[in-house]
Amino acid sequence: MKNLFLVAFFCSIFSASFTSAIAQPSLKFINGVNFGNENISSPELISPALSPASTLFSVSKPIISFATEKCSKIQFKYALLLNKEVEAIVNLNLFGFIEEWWNTKYRYGGTSKKGIDCSAFTGLLMSCVYAVRMPRTAKQQYAETQRVNKEELTEGDLVFFNTKRGVSHVGAYLGDGYFVHASSSNGVTINNLDEEYYSKRYIGAGRVNFTSDNMSKL
């Protein structure tokens, strides 16, 4: 009887330890991903060694459920910023351009890394990424583009806002409500159309007409 009691005691300890080990999220953290002015850790998924017994337990899923071995730092950074899977960051020309200008301060009338305004930024983005030259001001860019419903926005469309009088601010749409722009307060950054400030000032969106005439302006 004493031996049976000891066996049961040690079995209970082993079972508790095993359950605790299985229940831990299988993540490790690797330092070194540069997010503008911040260094953060990037999670890399590690597959646990599964035994028949481990299938009896429910393992909680990590927030980021993709392996990062094959993705670039740019893909990883913008997947987090846009709340997307890393595989969804496919337009590397676009996100490489954004990364190049990321955090560049705002300057009215500016067109360089020393400072750039909203319409100069979108004009340069459209030229470098999509090979289309746009007019200089937000109001002119609004007139140059074709109106598109908010629900039908796609990557590369322009979004316009009334921050002063009429069309006075513009950004480039990235998907899922997110857009990149040269903000007067934060420089080149990403925001969402659902944020209160932008939702109240949103005027509409415009899609570039990729015609031969437009292309010939380059």
Side-chain angles (χ1 to χ4, degrees), residues 107-112 115-123 133-141 170:
R107 190 178 73 182
Y108 181 74
T111 59
S112 71
I116 192 167
D117 65 23
C118 63
S119 56
F121 175 74
T122 52
R133 181 169 293 170
M134 299 297 296
R136 176 63 180 86
T137 69
K139 189 174 294 186
Q140 290 170 335
Q141 291 178 7
V170 59

Side-chain angles (χ1 to χ4, degrees), residues 55-113:
T55 60
L56 299 175
F57 305 98
S58 175
V59 181
S60 58
K61 294 182 179 179
I63 295 175
I64 300 174
S65 59
F66 51 78
T68 62
E69 296 91 339
K70 295 182 180 180
C71 77
S72 68
K73 290 181 179 180
I74 287 178
Q75 286 175 296
F76 182 68
K77 171 179 177 176
Y78 291 98
L80 288 181
L81 287 174
L82 302 180
N83 195 29
K84 291 185 176 183
E85 295 291 333
V86 69
E87 294 86 356
I89 307 299
V90 295
N91 191 343
L92 297 185
N93 286 335
L94 171 61
F95 290 100
F97 175 87
I98 295 171
E99 181 67 12
E100 182 182 348
W101 287 85
W102 187 253
N103 280 342
T104 297
K105 68 180 182 180
Y106 177 90
R107 190 178 73 182
Y108 181 74
T111 59
S112 71
K113 295 288 182 64

